[in-house]
Amino acid sequence: MAMKRCVTGVSPTWWFTLDTAVKKILYYSPQDYNLRNNEENTLLFHSMATNEASPFETSEMLATFVLSTPLLTESWRLCSQANASATALRSFVVERVGGGVYVAFSGVQMAGGSDPSWRNLVPLDSIGGVPLFSSRRNKEGEEPVMVHAKLLNLFSSLFNLFQNQMLEIVGNPDTKSVVITGHSIGGATASLCTLWLLSYLQSISSSMSVLCITFGSPLLGNEAFSRAISKERWGGNFCHVVSKHDIMPRLLFAPITPLTAQLNFLLQFWHLSMTSPDFAKLAVQISDKEKAELFTAVMDYLEAATQDGEASVPILFHPFGNYFFVSEEGALCVDSPATIIKMMHLMLSTSSPSCSIEDHLKYGDYVNKLSLQMLNQRNSMQKNIPDSTYEAGLELAIQSSGLANQESAIIPAKECLKTARRMGPSPALNAASLAVALSKVTPYRAQIEWYKVWCDEQDEQMGYYDSFKSRGSSKREMKVNINRFKLAKFWDNVIEMLERNELPHDIDKRAKWINASQFYKLLVEPLDIAEYYGKGKHREKGHYTQHGRERRYEIFDRWWKDRWVTTGEENKERSKFASLTQDSCFWARVEEARDWLDSVRSESDTNKLALLWDKIEKFEKYAMQLIENKKVSHDVLAKNSSYSIWVEDLRELKQMKAKVGRFPPHFTRFLDGEKPKVTDVDRAILALKTQRRKLAQYQQKLDAVIEAEKQAARDLIREKKKDRALLALKKKKAQEELVKQVDVWLINVEQQLADIELASKQKAVFDSLKAGNDAMKAIQNEINTEDVQKLMDDTAEAKAYQDEINAILGEKLSAEDEEEILAEFENLETQLTVQDLPEVPTSVSEDINEKLDLPDVPIQAPGEKIAEVSTKRKVMEEPLPA
């Protein structure tokens, strides 16, 4: 065994073993450690989940492991130094060993205070300004956390000196682990110091390992104190070494107020003996009768406390952390408070008054003897080895406790240890295994995060949600979908274990699980919504929020809402958009809003229509508020996301609604409150316009791709990569062909819209003509035949003219028309080219004038030197070189 070899004196690895031991005890309870000791026990661990009870009794096994490390021997060595240095008024000693630091408190201290009863409790909310147990708040009617008043006063008198020393130690980058230890009353001081250090390290988010080892320490606090330490998961940071007969750790179980004087004399005797064995003779000796009275009082109360039912008595002080019971035969380690109390009673029942007092001073003998036993390979069970592994472990625990020779105590001791037997894996172990499982599924979550980033960077500008909703069968999307199922399976298992009480009752209050579940919900639920609407499940079951949402998300909502610690982040103003939309059901609300818009277009009931518009306006306001507060991610505002399309559709619908007031007179009933009926023509126009917008967006995307391929080709040509450059140009050519096809589609859509508009106008003309004919029939009786004939002639001419116009409007463009259009296009192009040419300067700058070589004023008569002037003029008129 590597740890055994380390104890024999291989100094380079000594502190590594110590640090490893600290971490093991820090993270695993006694019953859990054996199952997590190595990789080979993985199958055994999983098989335990299906068994009714743990197949191992691990109290003796864990004790053996701790004894195989230098922890106890080094801790006791420093405690002895601290006790001996008490005469020099030193309350604690500090020693650094590699990356670890030992802090040992002297047991030669008198607890201050005026309370003579030694049983007064005071509340404990903070130490040195650092709040304790910050993850829990006292509920109404809940017992407050309280500790021994005198022991707290003693700690307070030493705190400033200890705090300065510890801040220096923690601030040293070489410090990896801290072991705080103490004997007797010094053990209680060490426990309070450890609580402060754990709270301080938690406040600064430090991962430094901390372990508290006490020897014969008195009880410190009430049941709420013990529970609070357990809920903080700090129980594994405390290891209380208690000898078989020592009365000191058991004193505060009993009301010893009548024996206060004897107790003070006893403390003086212990203190002088710790300083030097010779000084013990100077102490006031208590009589055998007084020793017996003290012993009997503690024994009677312990016995009553361990009884079941009405015979039991209340206990003011409760144990916390792990208790390491030692005897001459071995050791065992337990963490259940009920088992600790029963074992304290059973082991003390085999002692005597004198032995119970003397045993408080023999921890050095126990530690040294047990450490030597670890160096000898002894076979302690050579006969009658039970077949059951649990029974074999139980026999070892009884032998190590020193009760094997006490026939009357063997059976009660076995029953006591059996009460701590786990029925299947313990909640703490299950939580630890889930933490490991969480780390294993984290890569699945990371891959989904990468997929989201990839979606946000795509040219389609659809975003995370819509990309997954319209996903194809690529390997990337398939992998993301598989990871979605794996994560769902993991979190469903967490919920099931919690509901079966297989996890600690406060796991839903632990920051690690609250934050992990919240992040999972914000990241993955949009994919679940996309899957739900992408497959059309809303048409069968109804919308997601009411009919499709998984229960795990509702539970995680409650965890997040009921979390104990409020960081205040939600009240902070964001400077940039969130990485994940803070409303995990946002896309489900968008899908419902889209359905409301569709209903508005077809709904004829006024009341229902008003209700729909109210819902739409509320969602619009809610979404805008999220955007203004930057509580949405960038994919929500992507150009082609479902939300952006919904906003555009809403804008067009509002425009259509606003146009109702400008309809022809026969639509005036709409202005009186009657809802305009949306016809098939209106729906067709809206569909065509929507398609036109989408085609335009697609064309813009293609243009961007063409430009990117063109730039890529340029870069590749510069890099002399001809093949890749040609490939980029081929891609560019393919995209250009698509652009041409999109142009054809756009022309068809525009033509269809024009045809519908023309047909609508033709219908309006027909309605007008019909109304005119009706009017003519109505006035026939009021005019003569000639007037009627004249009117009919005029009407025929008007009709013929209108038919001619209609024929012209209805005809398609001929070849001559096409040529005229092309000629007009070339004319416009020529005009634009001329307009783009630079203007001719209208003046000459002063600089040019300064440089011109102008002729002098003539001093001769005209006609002279004409040839010379002509030559100079010719030179001046020649154009300047380009």
Side-chain angles (χ1 to χ4, degrees):
M1 184 175 181
M3 291 185 177
K4 291 182 180 179
R5 289 195 298 270
C6 180
V7 176
T8 61
V10 184
S11 58
T13 60
W14 180 82
W15 178 254
F16 173 78
T17 303
L18 173 60
D19 184 58
T20 302
V22 170
K23 291 181 179 178
K24 294 295 185 183
I25 296 177
L26 176 64
Y27 293 115
Y28 305 117
S29 65
Q31 284 75 10
D32 297 343
Y33 173 72
N34 182 59
L35 299 177
R36 302 298 305 279
N37 192 18
N38 53 61
E39 295 293 338
E40 296 177 357
N41 285 324
T42 303
L43 294 177
L44 176 61
F45 167 71
H46 288 294
S47 67
M48 280 184 57
T50 59
N51 294 337
E52 294 184 354
S54 170
F56 289 102
E57 206 297 312
T58 59
S59 58
E60 190 273 340
M61 193 173 297
L62 180 59
T64 302
F65 164 73
V66 175
L67 288 172
S68 69
T69 71
L71 282 171
L72 294 185
T73 55
E74 290 300 311
S75 296
W76 178 252
R77 179 179 64 82
L78 288 173
C79 284
S80 299
Q81 291 183 12
N83 290 339
S85 63
T87 55
L89 301 179
R90 293 178 61 188
S91 301
F92 60 90
V93 296
V94 179
E95 182 175 310
R96 177 178 290 275
V97 182
V101 176
Y102 280 94
V103 180
F105 285 88
S106 171
V108 186
Q109 305 177 56
M110 287 297 295
S114 58
D115 177 32
S117 69
W118 267 85
R119 284 174 60 82
N120 187 33
L121 291 169
V122 293
L124 181 67
D125 298 323
S126 63
I127 296 178
V130 178
L132 297 177
F133 318 121
S134 58
S135 65
R136 307 297 292 176
R137 299 177 182 175
N138 287 334
K139 298 181 180 179
E140 185 178 356
E142 186 179 32
E143 182 183 15
V145 173
M146 305 184 77
V147 296
H148 194 286
K150 284 191 173 184
L151 296 176
L152 182 60
N153 290 337
L154 174 61
F155 165 74
S156 299
S157 65
L158 305 173
F159 176 71
N160 290 334
L161 181 61
F162 169 79
Q163 183 184 35
N164 295 333
Q165 186 78 40
M166 287 310 304
L167 290 177
E168 180 181 349
I169 293 172
V170 173
N172 189 334
D174 295 332
T175 303
K176 305 301 180 185
S177 299
V178 176
V179 177
I180 303 177
T181 186
H183 177 213
S184 191
I185 292 178
T189 306
S191 296
L192 290 171
C193 289
T194 302
L195 284 177
W196 171 82
L197 182 58
L198 288 171
S199 298
Y200 174 73
L201 293 176
Q202 187 181 67
S203 66
I204 63 174
S205 302
S206 173
S207 59
M208 184 178 296
S209 299
V210 180
L211 180 63
C212 177
I213 299 178
T214 68
F215 298 90
S217 173
L219 296 172
L220 185 58
N222 62 352
E223 185 177 7
F225 176 73
S226 176
R227 240 185 356 255
I229 291 176
S230 177
K231 291 176 181 178
E232 289 286 348
R233 285 88 66 198
W234 289 344
N237 296 72
F238 294 89
C239 179
H240 304 291
V241 182
V242 175
S243 67
K244 179 180 179 180
H245 305 303
D246 186 8
I247 197 173
M248 181 59 163
R250 302 164 169 90
L251 272 175
L252 293 181
F253 280 122
I256 53 176
T257 303
L259 303 173
T260 302
Q262 292 89 326
L263 180 59
N264 289 331
F265 291 144
L266 180 59
L267 289 175
Q268 184 183 20
F269 167 73
W270 280 337
H271 290 169
L272 291 174
S273 300
M274 293 176 196
T275 306
S276 173
D278 296 333
F279 290 170
K281 301 176 183 179
L282 303 177
V284 177
Q285 300 294 323
I286 60 175
S287 64
D288 293 339
K289 180 180 179 182
E290 291 172 333
K291 292 179 182 180
E293 290 177 353
L294 187 63
F295 180 82
T296 302
V298 173
M299 272 296 303
D300 291 345
Y301 210 85
L302 265 176
E303 184 177 5
T306 57
Q307 299 297 318
D308 297 328
E310 298 179 356
S312 178
V313 295
I315 300 175
L316 187 59
F317 291 86
H318 278 256
F320 66 93
N322 301 292
Y323 269 69
F324 196 87
F325 292 102
V326 295
S327 68
E328 294 180 351
E329 289 78 14
L332 68 156
C333 188
V334 293
D335 66 346
S336 170
T339 304
I340 292 170
I341 295 172
K342 291 181 179 179
M343 289 303 298
M344 280 189 169
H345 169 251
L346 291 172
M347 297 178 80
L348 185 63
S349 65
T350 64
S351 181
S352 63
S354 297
C355 185
S356 66
I357 294 174
E358 295 171 357
D359 219 38
H360 186 60
L361 304 173
K362 294 182 178 181
Y363 282 96
D365 297 335
Y366 284 117
V367 171
N368 293 331
K369 182 176 181 180
L370 293 175
S371 298
L372 290 175
Q373 286 180 355
M374 287 304 304
L375 298 179
N376 301 320
Q377 295 184 356
R378 57 185 177 87
N379 187 355
S380 59
M381 294 181 60
Q382 299 186 10
K383 296 182 179 180
N384 300 325
I385 300 178
D387 295 332
S388 169
T389 55
Y390 180 80
E391 292 296 333
L394 200 60
E395 291 292 341
L396 283 174
I398 296 299
Q399 180 172 327
S400 298
S401 67
L403 300 176
N405 297 325
Q406 304 292 329
E407 295 293 339
S408 61
I410 291 177
I411 295 179
K414 285 185 178 181
E415 294 298 325
C416 172
L417 293 174
K418 286 180 179 180
T419 59
R421 187 180 187 183
R422 301 294 186 187
M423 301 302 290
S426 68
L429 179 56
N430 284 333
S433 65
L434 275 181
V436 175
L438 177 62
S439 66
K440 292 181 179 179
V441 300
T442 298
Y444 305 146
R445 189 182 70 185
Q447 290 176 9
I448 296 179
E449 291 181 70
W450 296 335
Y451 173 74
K452 182 181 184 302
V453 174
W454 178 82
C455 292
D456 293 341
E457 294 175 350
Q458 295 307 297
D459 295 329
E460 289 83 355
Q461 301 184 46
M462 296 176 64
Y464 177 51
Y465 169 78
D466 290 281
S467 295
F468 188 78
K469 181 181 176 183
S470 59
R471 70 186 187 277
S473 58
S474 69
K475 184 177 180 180
R476 179 186 290 106
E477 277 81 9
M478 291 178 64
K479 187 67 174 177
V480 169
N481 200 35
I482 291 173
N483 291 344
R484 182 175 67 91
F485 283 113
K486 289 180 178 179
L487 290 171
K489 182 178 180 181
F490 169 79
W491 285 107
D492 283 341
N493 182 52
V494 172
I495 299 300
E496 291 174 2
M497 293 179 68
L498 182 62
E499 292 178 346
R500 292 196 302 263
N501 295 320
E502 295 177 2
L503 295 175
H505 64 280
D506 64 335
I507 195 170
D508 59 333
K509 302 297 188 297
R510 300 181 183 181
K512 174 179 181 177
W513 292 99
I514 293 175
N515 295 331
S517 62
Q518 176 72 0
F519 188 86
Y520 159 75
K521 182 186 69 173
L522 297 181
L523 179 67
V524 179
E525 189 168 14
L527 301 183
D528 289 358
I529 298 172
E531 180 78 2
Y532 189 83
Y533 285 95
K535 291 188 175 181
K537 294 181 180 179
H538 61 291
R539 300 187 186 94
E540 303 173 2
K541 300 180 180 180
H543 283 292
Y544 175 85
T545 51
Q546 292 83 23
H547 306 284
R549 198 180 191 205
E550 295 291 342
R551 193 167 65 94
R552 60 177 174 273
Y553 295 126
E554 298 175 356
I555 294 174
F556 295 156
D557 281 342
R558 187 166 63 250
W559 286 12
W560 184 253
K561 182 179 179 181
D562 297 340
R563 64 192 186 279
W564 288 98
V565 181
T566 302
T567 59
E569 292 182 0
E570 294 185 356
N571 298 325
K572 293 181 180 179
E573 185 176 351
R574 293 179 179 269
S575 59
K576 60 182 181 179
F577 285 106
S579 60
L580 295 170
T581 302
Q582 298 303 291
D583 180 5
S584 62
C585 288
F586 177 80
W587 292 110
R589 306 186 202 284
V590 171
E591 295 289 354
E592 288 190 56
R594 294 180 67 180
D595 188 55
W596 296 336
L597 282 185
D598 292 338
S599 299
V600 164
R601 297 186 182 103
S602 58
E603 184 57 57
S604 58
D605 186 277
T606 306
N607 295 329
K608 292 181 179 180
L609 185 66
L611 182 61
L612 287 171
W613 275 112
D614 182 62
K615 291 179 179 179
I616 291 172
E617 290 172 357
K618 285 182 178 179
F619 173 73
E620 182 184 21
K621 182 178 179 181
Y622 170 73
M624 289 304 300
Q625 188 176 12
L626 285 180
I627 295 172
E628 290 173 359
N629 295 332
K630 293 183 171 58
K631 291 185 176 182
V632 298
S633 58
H634 287 286
D635 64 307
V636 171
L637 302 177
K639 189 174 182 180
N640 297 318
S641 70
S642 292
Y643 175 73
S644 297
I645 293 175
W646 178 84
V647 171
E648 183 66 22
D649 291 345
L650 178 63
R651 183 184 63 80
E652 292 183 358
L653 194 60
K654 286 183 175 181
Q655 290 178 352
M656 183 181 295
K657 182 181 179 183
K659 290 180 181 178
V660 172
R662 300 194 294 271
F663 281 173
H666 56 280
F667 289 101
T668 53
R669 64 183 184 275
F670 297 151
L671 303 179
D672 298 331
E674 185 177 349
K675 172 189 173 296
K677 183 178 181 181
V678 180
T679 64
D680 293 336
V681 174
D682 296 329
R683 295 190 184 93
I685 292 175
L686 181 60
L688 287 170
K689 289 183 176 180
T690 301
Q691 190 61 38
R692 181 178 62 184
R693 184 182 71 249
K694 291 181 178 180
L695 287 173
Q697 293 172 350
Y698 182 54
Q699 195 174 48
Q700 291 176 0
K701 185 195 75 171
L702 291 176
D703 291 339
V705 174
I706 290 172
E707 186 61 32
E709 295 293 348
K710 188 176 180 180
Q711 183 61 40
R714 292 194 191 101
D715 296 339
L716 291 169
I717 291 173
R718 292 190 188 99
E719 297 173 3
K720 307 299 183 181
K721 297 179 179 179
K722 180 179 178 181
D723 294 340
R724 296 183 61 185
L726 291 175
L727 179 61
L729 292 175
K730 289 179 181 178
K731 291 182 179 178
K732 170 179 167 293
K733 184 65 177 177
Q735 298 297 323
E736 289 174 345
E737 294 298 325
L738 286 177
V739 170
K740 294 179 181 179
Q741 183 64 44
V742 173
D743 289 336
V744 174
W745 293 340
L746 281 172
I747 292 174
N748 292 337
V749 171
E750 293 286 357
Q751 184 65 43
Q752 189 72 25
L753 284 171
D755 292 342
I756 293 176
E757 185 177 0
L758 179 61
S760 299
K761 289 182 178 180
Q762 288 176 343
K763 184 177 183 300
V765 172
F766 172 77
D767 292 339
S768 299
L769 291 174
K770 183 178 180 180
N773 289 329
D774 293 340
M776 286 188 292
K777 291 179 181 179
I779 63 175
Q780 282 180 353
N781 296 329
E782 299 180 4
I783 58 177
N784 55 33
T785 306
E786 294 180 356
D787 293 336
V788 172
Q789 185 64 39
K790 184 179 180 181
L791 179 61
M792 292 302 295
D793 293 339
D794 294 339
T795 302
E797 292 178 0
K799 186 175 184 302
Y801 179 73
Q802 184 62 43
D803 291 341
E804 183 179 357
I805 292 175
N806 291 341
I808 294 173
L809 292 176
E811 289 179 356
K812 295 184 178 179
L813 296 177
S814 63
E816 291 79 5
D817 295 333
E818 291 286 351
E819 292 179 359
E820 291 179 4
I821 291 173
L822 289 175
E824 184 179 2
F825 173 78
E826 292 176 357
N827 186 28
L828 289 174
E829 187 176 26
T830 304
Q831 293 177 6
L832 291 174
T833 303
V834 172
Q835 291 177 3
D836 292 340
L837 292 176
E839 297 181 356
V840 178
T842 58
S843 61
V844 180
S845 65
E846 295 179 0
D847 294 340
I848 296 175
N849 289 333
E850 290 178 0
K851 295 179 182 179
L852 292 176
D853 187 12
L854 297 175
D856 297 333
V857 177
I859 59 176
Q860 297 179 354
E864 298 180 3
K865 296 184 179 180
I866 295 175
E868 181 181 352
V869 172
S870 298
T871 302
K872 181 179 294 186
R873 183 178 303 167
K874 181 178 181 181
V875 172
M876 291 295 295
E877 291 177 354
E878 287 182 357
L880 295 174

